[in-house]
Amino acid sequence: MTTTHEAAFASHRRALLGAAYRVLGTVQDSEDAVQETWLRWQDVDLASVREPRAFLLTAVTRTALNTVRTRSRLREEYIGPWLPEPVSTDAAADPGRAAEIADDVSLALLVVLESLSPLERAAFVLHEVFAAPYSEIAETLERSEASVRQLVSRARAHVRERTPRHPVDESAHRALTEAFLEAVRGTAALEDMVSVLSPGVVLTTDGGGHAKAARRPVRGTDHVLRFAAGVLAKPEVAILSWQVAEVNGRPALVGHDGPRVDCVVWVEGETADAQTVVTRIDMIRNPEKLGAVRV
């Protein structure tokens, strides 16, 4: 029985959107890449396609890489650090988008993937996430198989280096997030956070020039606490209402200004010397990146 274009595409849409999101780190760009892939897919002779999933993953990855190349100048001109776009994944979120994009793609992983070159990122995603063989990836990226093996090896080593050796489990992650919630609400002194901050903690804020944020990552316990205290004291932040919500499959802090989402804050924890500590804090305040976060 012949499979229609629509049925074949629908069965792989989740994988396509997940692949694009991992490569691009932005929601609208990922959805655009999938839509462009769909438009091209409609003109393909299905009888000539042996494996639709492999064909479509190749197409969406190439489209995503083209998007990365065309926006490279915009990224260079971006004001301050660039962080990926968060997506709500709780029960009340857009079920289609949550399932297709971010239910198993943590923001911490996206930050690490962003530090790779576009080709390394695409090769890593195709091989490590979607189990594509090296030969298939070589065709997708238009590189030799030996070159692809090197790309995946470098990417794997970099991800391993940037990933906590002893990551915290879900309950510990939620406990750290709720500890931050108490601090930002003022129900606990910010200084009390010292005990759960790693000496090498890094705080990165992304305002994109649209909201107040640090132009460079803030490093070290003292500097992070000083910066956080300054931010929380600002009138536009002090009026925010805060809650713990599920973002990209993990608990995160979401700050609301009335009906508007003002920022998303997430923490990365690690277990060291039998103690759970925060190694990274990321805050997105760029309103252009908060459209997929539930109000």
Side-chain angles (χ1 to χ4, degrees):
M1 177 169 139
T2 304
T3 304
T4 65
H5 286 82
E6 186 174 358
F9 190 86
S11 66
H12 299 295
R13 178 181 169 81
R14 175 174 178 171
L16 301 182
L17 202 46
Y21 182 56
R22 286 170 172 88
V23 172
L24 292 164
T26 55
V27 177
Q28 188 59 58
D29 285 340
S30 300
E31 292 177 337
D32 289 346
V34 172
Q35 179 63 18
E36 184 173 337
T37 302
W38 160 243
L39 294 176
R40 293 180 178 180
W41 173 246
Q42 294 177 78
D43 295 328
V44 173
D45 178 8
L46 292 183
S48 67
V49 179
R50 187 171 54 186
E51 295 184 22
R53 182 177 185 272
F55 184 98
L56 289 167
L57 278 174
T58 292
V60 79
T61 301
R62 285 177 175 170
T63 300
L65 285 173
N66 286 336
T67 300
V68 170
R69 295 183 184 109
T70 57
R71 76 180 188 188
S72 59
R73 178 171 181 141
L74 293 176
R75 185 68 64 83
E76 290 172 2
E77 296 173 350
Y78 195 81
I79 299 174
W82 190 97
L83 292 171
E85 293 185 13
V87 179
S88 290
T89 52
D90 58 19
D94 179 338
R97 176 181 278 168
E100 293 170 329
I101 290 187
D103 59 350
D104 60 349
V105 189
S106 73
L107 289 166
L109 173 61
L110 286 175
V111 169
V112 174
L113 291 179
E114 184 62 31
S115 67
L116 304 175
S117 74
L119 285 177
E120 287 173 342
R121 192 154 67 244
F124 179 85
V125 168
L126 289 173
H127 188 267
E128 299 295 305
V129 179
F130 296 100
Y134 288 115
S135 57
E136 184 179 299
I137 301 171
E139 182 179 349
T140 300
L141 303 183
E142 300 179 326
R143 294 291 189 277
S144 69
E145 189 170 329
S147 175
V148 166
R149 287 180 181 275
Q150 289 182 337
L151 287 171
V152 172
S153 178
R154 286 200 302 268
R156 191 186 291 132
H158 191 76
V159 170
R160 190 183 306 118
E161 178 185 331
R162 295 282 302 272
T163 302
R165 285 189 227 178
H166 306 288
V168 298
D169 59 21
E170 174 109 16
S171 62
H173 179 90
R174 177 170 287 277
L176 289 174
T177 304
E178 290 176 345
F180 268 84
L181 177 61
E182 292 183 7
V184 299
R185 279 179 172 170
T187 53
L190 196 60
E191 291 77 10
D192 293 343
M193 294 302 301
V194 173
S195 62
V196 295
L197 293 180
S198 164
V201 63
V202 179
L203 168 65
T204 304
T205 57
D206 179 348
H210 301 286
K212 291 181 179 178
R215 296 294 183 91
R216 295 183 181 83
V218 181
R219 302 176 185 277
T221 305
D222 290 342
H223 291 114
V224 166
L225 286 176
R226 204 172 297 133
F227 179 83
V231 168
L232 294 175
K234 293 183 182 301
E236 66 269 24
V237 176
I239 64 170
L240 298 181
S241 59
W242 294 87
Q243 66 181 90
V244 174
E246 186 181 296
V247 176
N248 288 67
R250 300 293 295 272
L253 293 184
V254 179
H256 295 84
D257 179 3
R260 182 180 66 87
V261 175
D262 178 89
C263 63
V264 171
V265 182
W266 71 91
V267 301
E268 183 70 8
E270 182 175 12
T271 301
D273 299 324
Q275 182 182 10
T276 300
V277 294
V278 172
T279 56
R280 183 178 180 93
I281 308 167
D282 291 302
M283 174 189 292
I284 290 184
R285 297 200 66 208
N286 183 349
E288 295 182 351
K289 291 186 173 184
L290 298 172
V293 179
R294 184 176 64 84
V295 176

